Amino acid sequence: MTAYTALALQIEARAVTDRADLAAAVGRVGTRVGGSKAWLGPALRLVVLPEYVLTGFPTRESPAEWREKAALDVDGPEYRELGKIAAANDVFLCVNAYERDEHFPGLYFQACVILSPAGGAVLRYRRLHSMFTPTPYDVWERYLDRYGLDGVLPVARTEIGNLAVLASEEILVPELARALALRGAEVLCNPTSEAYSPALTPKAVARRARALENLAFVVSANTAGLSGTAIPGDSVNGGSELIDHEGRALAQAGPGESLVAAAELDLAALRRARRRPGMANLPSRVKTRLWAQVYAGHDVERPGALTEAPDRAFYTARQHEIIERLHDQG
């Protein structure tokens, strides 16, 4: 398959109060995915959902409380139901959720999972850059021992192309998108919940940059507002979009729940561009060994050894320490 429709499905995120709310959220996803499939037709093969669409994000909860209330189990009922939604609609379904892992019992991660039309997970990525959530880098050696580098930077090779995920603000991290592209990614899924503006926001600029510098599609699904918190709900409402490998917007949604951000992804055109010599073929011009040497000489965020999810003060203090160290290094 070299061309199909992809959808950045823009739906509301509602803050959970208990585990029962998770089942209701999965039900809403099923309804919206089913309606979108009926509207867009059989060519729809990829659906990307917004960031933490099932739960919202923690506000007053302690890390332990949030882990118990909102984090999914890898083999839990929510993923099984989401797999059924993918199968019933013959789509690859990308969902972002907080997730528990039996191998790291005191922690939780923010995970991006792609479920195939067969109902099972073909990709599980745990967010590497997060301001207030533990990441694999915080348990680096143990995580590598358990899952290897393929589990840290996964790329799913599927019938609709090579899929990878960057969560939310990770679109601002050029190294991550480049690493995934070098590992073969053709479509970068970007679940997000971000401020929307008619003007180009930093993340909107970054999506275009990540697409053209890696010759990749970006499918970015934003929330259609956030309810159940003290934050004004429409602060994160609208702007879901699909960007092609030349940095052009193929489709964009305004505010509200919407399937407008849907477009055809032409894999054949992307693959021709990747095989074509010229200035625009930036992935073929990367000086990886040079950058490896430069990066190795700089001490920024260090891999950690967390055993329990810390409170927000830990992350702020760590960033202060890093900034001071960078300042001292000049």
Side-chain angles (χ1 to χ4, degrees):
M1 179 175 295
T2 59
Y4 61 91
T5 300
L7 166 65
L9 180 55
Q10 191 167 282
I11 57 179
E12 181 189 33
R14 300 178 185 177
V16 293
T17 57
D18 54 37
R19 300 294 295 190
D21 288 341
L22 282 169
V26 172
R28 290 195 300 274
V29 167
T31 298
R32 295 293 184 260
V33 172
S36 299
K37 182 74 175 189
W39 183 272
L40 295 171
L44 178 63
R45 299 303 313 284
L46 173 64
V47 178
V48 178
L49 300 175
E51 184 184 18
Y52 44 68
V53 66
L54 304 179
T55 61
F57 55 85
T59 52
R60 298 181 180 89
E61 298 89 350
S62 70
E65 289 170 337
W66 187 253
R67 183 181 182 280
E68 292 306 311
K69 180 167 74 172
L72 279 59
D73 292 317
V74 171
D75 58 353
E78 297 85 8
Y79 281 130
R80 289 197 294 272
E81 289 303 311
L82 289 163
K84 292 177 183 177
I85 294 168
N89 294 283
D90 191 31
V91 297
F92 287 83
L93 181 65
C94 177
V95 62
N96 175 279
Y98 293 95
E99 187 175 270
R100 300 186 288 221
D101 186 327
E102 63 178 348
H103 303 295
F104 302 93
L107 302 176
Y108 61 85
F109 302 101
Q110 194 186 74
C112 298
V113 178
I114 297 179
L115 300 153
S116 80
V122 294
L123 181 146
R124 171 165 275 104
Y125 166 73
R126 267 78 178 263
R127 182 172 172 174
L128 288 165
H129 304 81
S130 180
M131 189 66 193
F132 296 116
T133 301
T135 75
Y137 201 63
D138 291 317
V139 286
W140 187 235
E141 296 301 331
R142 291 169 56 206
Y143 202 90
L144 280 180
D145 287 345
R146 171 59 58 179
Y147 296 112
L149 191 61
D150 287 342
V152 175
L153 296 168
V155 175
R157 287 162 171 78
T158 76
E159 66 201 66
I160 63 167
N162 299 339
L163 311 179
V165 186
L166 307 89
S168 187
E169 66 180 354
E170 290 190 312
I171 200 70
L172 299 171
V173 182
E175 297 90 345
L176 177 57
R178 176 55 53 80
L180 293 168
L182 289 172
R183 293 172 67 82
E186 298 173 312
V187 181
L188 300 173
C189 303
N190 179 221
T192 188
S193 184
E194 64 186 61
Y196 168 64
S197 168
L200 282 175
T201 63
K203 290 182 183 179
V205 172
R207 281 189 281 274
R208 287 148 179 79
R210 300 298 86 83
L212 68 87
E213 70 195 10
N214 294 299
L215 293 180
F217 292 108
V218 176
V219 182
S220 181
N222 195 21
T223 42
L226 174 64
S227 64
T229 77
I231 297 170
D234 286 336
S235 301
V236 287
N237 186 350
S240 298
E241 59 183 357
L242 288 82
I243 308 299
D244 76 2
H245 60 282
E246 295 184 352
R248 299 172 296 198
L250 299 174
Q252 296 172 303
E257 294 204 335
S258 175
L259 53 67
V260 167
E264 182 179 74
L265 303 189
D266 187 346
L267 289 176
L270 181 148
R271 291 167 180 172
R272 286 195 301 271
R274 286 187 167 188
R275 294 294 298 271
R276 186 182 302 124
M279 292 178 64
N281 195 328
L282 294 174
S284 69
R285 303 172 63 197
V286 178
K287 297 172 174 58
T288 50
R289 296 186 184 184
L290 166 61
W291 307 132
Q293 288 181 315
V294 172
Y295 274 53
H298 289 78
D299 183 20
V300 191
E301 186 171 319
R302 296 165 178 166
L306 291 181
T307 56
E308 293 185 357
D311 60 22
R312 295 168 73 93
F314 165 85
Y315 300 101
T316 302
R318 179 172 67 178
Q319 189 176 28
H320 277 299
E321 187 275 329
I322 292 170
I323 291 170
E324 289 303 312
R325 182 156 26 93
L326 289 172
H327 181 268
D328 291 343
Q329 293 172 3

